[in-house]
Amino acid sequence: MAERQKKLEIINIHKSFEKGTINENYVLKGVELTLYEGDFVTVIGGNGAGKSTMMNTIAGNYIPDEGNIRINHEDVTYMPTNKRASLIGYVFQDTRMGTASRLSIEENMALANQRGRTRGLRKGVRDEDRAMMKERLEVLGLGLENRLTTEVQFLSGGQRQALTLLMATLQTPQVLLLDEHTAALDPSTSEMVLSLTDKLVREENLTAMMITHNMSDALKYGNRLVMLHQGRIILDVAGEEKENLTITDLMQLFKQRSGEELTNDAMLLG
Ligand SMILES: Nc1ncnc2c1ncn2[C@@H]1O[C@H](COP(=O)(O)OP(=O)(O)OP(=O)(O)O)[C@@H](O)[C@H]1O
């Protein structure tokens, strides 16, 4: 079997905030993680473990104090966020973050289609793009393909997040980052967006990382699960080993590896 391509390498990342001050907060303490093409990794860990900081460092919003980030073999540690945007799809918890409210569905999609291009951005939509947009929107099964000129502000949170997800994957990203992207949705809408995520990741063979507080979602989705605790990865399981895990196993593993109990308010047990 051909060797799987490395898509994302997080190499010995250290990150502190307010370094050298009385408020110094040493958050990431040598994080090491390699994602291979097609990996769908769920990331769990208690509040303040450093999950979002890790993701923001991958995206270039934070520069690490030490260590390197490689995407598709390219060192991007010091590459500006806007340059990295062509490599990364990012979906946030806040359903308003990934789309422009006052622009229509088709205008938003046209912008997403030009992602990573810093020159000559147009919000205008070409006829030939509309057919592609309709086709992609149909996959969502939400009827958005018939509402191309509707302003995004009139969509529900779930519709908007589904659109954001589609936009983040329109120009196939090297890495898709999902930071609790369904946490603000009601349970059934969350499930819809998660199964859509799963479908897109599989069909496009995307490499994805998804932070979640919901342990059953962390077990249900993806081929790999990572547990972060106090800025370090304390568990990394994949394949069959992950498939066979239960929530009870996860809680026991957390206790074993961290020496602490996993509290209900830090994690949703599902
Ligand atoms: N921009 C920042 N400036 C200062 N401190 C920060 C900043 N961003 C994060 N932190 C601190 O870093 C620590 C880790 O935060 P982070 O958001 O990465 O954790 P998390 O694992 O995603 O937690 P949660 O599950 O609660 O979202 C926290 O103590 C947080 O206060």
Side-chain angles (χ1 to χ4, degrees):
M1 206 172 86
E3 204 177 315
R4 290 167 73 208
Q5 281 261 11
K6 286 179 181 173
K7 278 288 167 184
L8 171 69
E9 294 163 81
I10 303 173
I11 306 161
N12 191 30
I13 290 290
H14 293 258
K15 175 69 190 166
S16 308
F17 293 105
E18 303 187 62
K19 206 173 165 118
T21 73
I22 192 166
N23 296 320
E24 179 164 335
N25 189 357
Y26 184 18
V27 177
L28 299 181
K29 300 171 180 162
V31 175
E32 289 268 351
L33 185 66
T34 300
L35 265 59
Y36 295 86
E37 186 168 26
D39 261 350
F40 181 2
V41 180
T42 56
V43 180
I44 60 170
N47 294 116
K51 303 180 295 296
S52 295
T53 303
M54 174 173 75
M55 224 172 233
N56 274 295
T57 310
I58 299 165
N61 298 325
Y62 300 145
I63 303 295
D65 305 330
E66 217 185 299
N68 293 82
I69 305 283
R70 286 193 202 133
I71 297 178
N72 209 21
H73 306 284
E74 184 180 7
D75 194 312
V76 298
T77 319
Y78 303 102
M79 182 189 279
T81 314
N82 58 347
K83 272 194 88 182
R84 255 184 249 198
S86 60
L87 307 174
I88 295 170
Y90 208 140
V91 186
F92 302 89
Q93 179 174 343
D94 187 336
T95 58
R96 293 162 306 182
M97 295 266 288
T99 44
S101 305
R102 295 293 186 86
L103 298 185
S104 64
I105 292 176
E106 62 177 22
E107 286 167 338
N108 269 283
M109 287 187 78
L111 286 175
N113 207 24
Q114 301 173 65
R115 192 160 54 94
R117 281 184 232 159
T118 46
R119 281 156 193 261
L121 274 185
R122 300 170 291 106
K123 72 167 188 176
V125 182
R126 291 181 302 196
D127 277 344
E128 64 252 44
D129 291 335
R130 279 200 185 93
M132 174 277 288
M133 289 176 185
K134 285 193 169 189
E135 203 175 295
R136 299 300 288 259
L137 286 164
E138 269 171 23
V139 174
L140 305 182
L142 299 171
L144 297 183
E145 63 279 10
N146 302 317
R147 301 174 66 188
L148 283 186
T149 55
T150 300
E151 282 185 20
V152 164
Q153 61 173 324
F154 299 118
L155 302 183
S156 69
Q159 289 170 334
R160 205 160 161 169
Q161 204 64 330
L163 176 64
T164 302
L165 192 60
L166 198 66
M167 284 166 54
T169 55
L170 204 55
Q171 292 270 325
T172 311
Q174 298 291 335
V175 184
L176 176 65
L177 302 175
L178 308 162
D179 191 350
E180 291 194 65
H181 70 308
T182 67
L185 305 174
D186 66 71
S188 71
T189 312
S190 166
E191 203 179 317
M192 179 274 286
V193 174
L194 282 170
S195 52
L196 177 66
T197 306
D198 193 43
K199 183 177 152 108
L200 287 171
V201 170
R202 282 170 199 262
E203 284 178 3
E204 311 281 326
N205 195 31
L206 300 174
T207 306
M209 181 186 270
M210 175 173 96
I211 297 176
T212 177
H213 273 255
N214 187 310
M215 289 224 253
S216 62
D217 287 342
L219 290 173
K220 181 172 171 191
Y221 297 99
N223 64 318
R224 202 169 154 195
L225 179 149
V226 157
M227 193 185 271
L228 204 65
H229 178 65
Q230 294 180 355
R232 290 189 181 92
I233 288 175
I234 59 167
L235 181 74
D236 182 354
V237 284
E240 229 172 90
E241 194 185 355
K242 173 180 183 278
E243 275 164 34
N244 293 331
L245 281 179
T246 63
I247 290 178
T248 313
D249 296 334
L250 268 188
M251 293 181 75
Q252 273 170 358
L253 280 164
F254 183 84
K255 192 174 174 185
Q256 259 172 30
R257 309 262 169 122
S258 72
E260 291 175 22
E261 293 277 357
L262 206 50
T263 54
N264 277 357
D265 55 349
M267 302 297 292
L268 288 170
L269 304 180

